[in-house]
mmCIF file of all heavy atoms in Angstrom:
data_model
loop_
_atom_site.group_PDB
_atom_site.id
_atom_site.type_symbol
_atom_site.label_atom_id
_atom_site.label_comp_id
_atom_site.label_asym_id
_atom_site.label_seq_id
_atom_site.Cartn_x
_atom_site.Cartn_y
_atom_site.Cartn_z
ATOM 1 N N GLY B 235 82.362 218.933 127.254
ATOM 2 C CA GLY B 235 82.439 218.074 128.360
ATOM 3 C C GLY B 235 82.806 218.792 129.624
ATOM 4 O O GLY B 235 82.137 218.625 130.671
ATOM 5 N N PHE B 236 83.756 219.632 129.547
ATOM 6 C CA PHE B 236 84.175 220.386 130.695
ATOM 7 C C PHE B 236 83.218 221.354 131.246
ATOM 8 O O PHE B 236 82.934 221.411 132.441
ATOM 9 C CB PHE B 236 85.491 221.191 130.370
ATOM 10 C CG PHE B 236 86.733 220.459 130.740
ATOM 11 C CD1 PHE B 236 87.355 219.583 129.855
ATOM 12 C CD2 PHE B 236 87.263 220.601 131.992
ATOM 13 C CE1 PHE B 236 88.486 218.860 130.177
ATOM 14 C CE2 PHE B 236 88.429 219.874 132.350
ATOM 15 C CZ PHE B 236 89.016 219.039 131.421
ATOM 16 N N VAL B 237 82.583 222.160 130.344
ATOM 17 C CA VAL B 237 81.565 223.135 130.780
ATOM 18 C C VAL B 237 80.368 222.453 131.399
ATOM 19 O O VAL B 237 79.953 222.845 132.487
ATOM 20 C CB VAL B 237 81.090 223.954 129.632
ATOM 21 C CG1 VAL B 237 79.984 224.837 129.946
ATOM 22 C CG2 VAL B 237 82.310 224.847 129.142
ATOM 23 N N GLU B 238 79.949 221.375 130.784
ATOM 24 C CA GLU B 238 78.798 220.668 131.352
ATOM 25 C C GLU B 238 79.097 220.131 132.731
ATOM 26 O O GLU B 238 78.322 220.221 133.684
ATOM 27 C CB GLU B 238 78.544 219.480 130.400
ATOM 28 C CG GLU B 238 77.111 219.025 130.229
ATOM 29 C CD GLU B 238 77.032 218.017 129.159
ATOM 30 O OE1 GLU B 238 76.972 218.388 127.971
ATOM 31 O OE2 GLU B 238 77.055 216.865 129.515
ATOM 32 N N ARG B 239 80.292 219.593 132.845
ATOM 33 C CA ARG B 239 80.734 219.005 134.107
ATOM 34 C C ARG B 239 80.813 220.086 135.190
ATOM 35 O O ARG B 239 80.390 219.867 136.375
ATOM 36 C CB ARG B 239 82.068 218.355 133.913
ATOM 37 C CG ARG B 239 82.406 217.247 134.861
ATOM 38 C CD ARG B 239 81.253 216.395 135.216
ATOM 39 N NE ARG B 239 81.191 215.106 134.632
ATOM 40 C CZ ARG B 239 82.018 214.127 135.001
ATOM 41 N NH1 ARG B 239 82.970 214.303 135.882
ATOM 42 N NH2 ARG B 239 81.935 212.952 134.414
ATOM 43 N N ALA B 240 81.444 221.224 134.794
ATOM 44 C CA ALA B 240 81.593 222.292 135.748
ATOM 45 C C ALA B 240 80.294 222.756 136.318
ATOM 46 O O ALA B 240 80.051 222.985 137.487
ATOM 47 C CB ALA B 240 82.336 223.503 135.117
ATOM 48 N N GLU B 241 79.244 222.844 135.449
ATOM 49 C CA GLU B 241 77.949 223.276 135.867
ATOM 50 C C GLU B 241 77.330 222.244 136.827
ATOM 51 O O GLU B 241 76.704 222.593 137.773
ATOM 52 C CB GLU B 241 77.029 223.503 134.655
ATOM 53 C CG GLU B 241 77.260 224.819 133.988
ATOM 54 C CD GLU B 241 76.723 224.972 132.554
ATOM 55 O OE1 GLU B 241 76.038 224.040 132.178
ATOM 56 O OE2 GLU B 241 76.933 225.962 132.002
ATOM 57 N N ALA B 242 77.500 220.999 136.497
ATOM 58 C CA ALA B 242 76.969 219.954 137.316
ATOM 59 C C ALA B 242 77.543 219.918 138.701
ATOM 60 O O ALA B 242 76.914 219.764 139.714
ATOM 61 C CB ALA B 242 77.172 218.546 136.629
ATOM 62 N N VAL B 243 78.847 220.193 138.751
ATOM 63 C CA VAL B 243 79.567 220.200 140.072
ATOM 64 C C VAL B 243 79.057 221.352 140.878
ATOM 65 O O VAL B 243 78.750 221.198 142.083
ATOM 66 C CB VAL B 243 81.146 220.329 139.873
ATOM 67 C CG1 VAL B 243 81.803 220.562 141.156
ATOM 68 C CG2 VAL B 243 81.686 219.067 139.184
ATOM 69 N N THR B 244 78.897 222.522 140.295
ATOM 70 C CA THR B 244 78.406 223.649 141.009
ATOM 71 C C THR B 244 76.988 223.358 141.530
ATOM 72 O O THR B 244 76.674 223.680 142.656
ATOM 73 C CB THR B 244 78.333 224.913 140.056
ATOM 74 O OG1 THR B 244 79.614 225.137 139.491
ATOM 75 C CG2 THR B 244 77.951 226.166 140.887
ATOM 76 N N ALA B 245 76.183 222.722 140.720
ATOM 77 C CA ALA B 245 74.802 222.469 141.164
ATOM 78 C C ALA B 245 74.846 221.445 142.327
ATOM 79 O O ALA B 245 74.025 221.544 143.302
ATOM 80 C CB ALA B 245 74.034 221.847 139.972
ATOM 81 N N LEU B 246 75.743 220.498 142.317
ATOM 82 C CA LEU B 246 75.861 219.482 143.375
ATOM 83 C C LEU B 246 76.160 220.148 144.697
ATOM 84 O O LEU B 246 75.607 219.825 145.693
ATOM 85 C CB LEU B 246 76.891 218.455 142.975
ATOM 86 C CG LEU B 246 77.132 217.345 143.998
ATOM 87 C CD1 LEU B 246 75.883 216.473 144.197
ATOM 88 C CD2 LEU B 246 78.318 216.496 143.626
ATOM 89 N N LEU B 247 77.091 221.089 144.657
ATOM 90 C CA LEU B 247 77.545 221.803 145.902
ATOM 91 C C LEU B 247 76.364 222.576 146.509
ATOM 92 O O LEU B 247 76.293 222.675 147.755
ATOM 93 C CB LEU B 247 78.692 222.731 145.619
ATOM 94 C CG LEU B 247 80.081 222.089 145.366
ATOM 95 C CD1 LEU B 247 81.078 223.156 145.067
ATOM 96 C CD2 LEU B 247 80.501 221.254 146.533
#
Side-chain angles (χ1 to χ4, degrees):
Chain B
F236 265 89
V237 171
E238 215 173 276
R239 204 39 106 71
E241 281 165 3
V243 172
T244 306
L246 179 64
L247 288 177

